[in-house]
Amino acid sequence: MVTAAPQDQWRLLDVQAHDTRLAQIAHRRRTLPEHAELEELAKQARRYADELVAARTVVTDVMRELTKAEADVEQVRVRAARNRARMDAGQGSAKDLQALQHEVESLGARQAVLEDAELEVMERLEQATDEVTRLESAEAELATRTAGVTARRDAELSALDAESITERRARDDAAAGLPADLLALYEKIRGANAGVGAARLYQRRCEGCRLELNATDLGALRTAAEDAVVRCEECGRILVRTADSGL
Ligand SMILES: [Zn+2]
């Protein structure tokens, strides 16, 4: 049976209050909304990165298509120019010249078709390039937002860490000099009871489990020695009696 002076039992309530606050700080640290926000932003960043790879691949492919389309146009243009030069030189028979004339005309038509195709590829290249630019600026904007949220998270974390250090110091001050067996019992109960090892008995109610004590238990408390460390029959926590206990 652990015993402790009433003053030490009251001080245990201070220790409990600091421990509760420390647990709240730790919980807040783990559940900052910025954590989820940053996770979401990182997901979006990965999506943009994937889309950029795809968009840049499209640009590369269309540029290759454009090179080919330009070469096709050039080939026809060179051939038509050569034919015109031959015609201008007036070499060959009338039949030859007529054949050349015919070829120049069909090359002209062919060139027009190829130039249209080239133009269409150029338009697609512009669209593909625009898409890369759009994604790059979206990515940059996302990076700025991420930096802002990261800074906010880090500020919150350092504030919580500072508060935690202060709270820890106050907790240690409150616990200093308390009987070792009382603290050991408190820690053991606390570990098994959602972080609450000691509770005040306030107006016949255990503040650990919020239940009102029955007449039998109250009677036992009334007769218990002042320095007896008593436990709540319902939740097992150390029950600290004060002037407001209603005994
Ligand atoms: Zn209780």
Side-chain angles (χ1 to χ4, degrees):
M1 181 75 186
V2 176
T3 58
Q7 291 85 346
D8 284 349
Q9 294 192 33
W10 299 333
R11 207 131 59 77
L12 194 58
L13 291 178
D14 290 341
V15 174
Q16 177 65 73
H18 290 303
D19 278 336
T20 298
R21 183 57 200 148
L22 281 166
Q24 284 165 349
I25 293 169
H27 179 259
R28 172 85 184 141
R29 215 180 182 292
R30 284 192 305 273
T31 57
L32 281 180
E34 283 80 7
H35 294 319
E37 215 176 315
L38 284 171
E39 224 168 86
E40 212 35 64
L41 288 169
K43 250 186 244 167
Q44 183 60 49
R46 283 195 291 277
R47 277 197 289 270
Y48 280 153
D50 288 348
E51 284 174 38
L52 261 173
V53 168
R56 286 185 179 126
T57 303
V58 171
V59 169
T60 308
D61 289 350
V62 178
M63 277 172 84
R64 200 173 295 132
E65 263 188 79
L66 183 60
T67 305
K68 165 93 169 59
E70 283 168 349
D72 289 349
V73 170
E74 185 58 17
Q75 197 183 20
V76 172
R77 197 182 288 136
V78 166
R79 186 143 180 203
R82 197 182 58 203
N83 285 0
R84 266 193 302 274
R86 276 195 204 149
M87 283 167 67
D88 290 348
Q91 289 163 346
S93 63
K95 199 182 166 198
D96 287 344
L97 288 172
Q98 201 182 358
L100 275 175
Q101 174 66 34
H102 184 73
E103 198 185 332
V104 165
E105 277 163 22
S106 76
L107 282 172
R110 173 92 185 117
Q111 187 175 335
V113 169
L114 289 174
E115 279 171 353
D116 282 350
E118 185 188 5
L119 211 63
E120 183 269 331
V121 176
M122 284 167 84
E123 276 165 14
R124 271 196 288 130
L125 181 60
E126 196 184 333
Q127 283 164 9
T129 309
D130 285 353
E131 177 64 0
V132 169
T133 307
R134 184 189 72 80
L135 284 168
E136 280 172 348
S137 67
E139 199 178 47
E141 195 253 351
L142 190 74
T144 306
R145 267 174 63 202
T146 303
V149 177
T150 302
R152 213 165 66 219
R153 179 203 60 190
D154 290 349
E156 292 247 30
L157 286 180
S158 25
L160 288 170
D161 287 347
E163 194 187 347
S164 181
I165 288 167
T166 308
E167 202 60 47
R168 164 69 49 191
R169 206 170 288 145
R171 190 262 184 215
D172 290 345
D173 286 348
L178 285 182
D181 57 352
L182 177 67
L183 277 177
L185 180 65
Y186 162 74
E187 289 296 355
K188 188 177 152 221
I189 298 170
R190 198 166 84 84
N193 288 281
V196 181
R200 187 167 64 140
L201 176 65
Y202 183 73
Q203 294 180 352
R204 285 178 285 191
R205 200 176 284 277
C206 164
E207 288 198 321
C209 63
R210 304 274 158 204
L211 290 174
E212 193 169 335
L213 271 65
N214 61 45
T216 315
D217 293 341
L218 286 169
L221 286 185
R222 275 188 202 105
T223 56
E226 237 190 0
D227 65 350
V229 174
V230 296
R231 311 263 300 263
C232 170
E233 290 294 330
E234 295 297 334
C235 67
R237 294 183 173 99
I238 294 171
L239 208 46
V240 178
R241 292 160 288 168
T242 71
D244 299 321
S245 287
L247 288 174

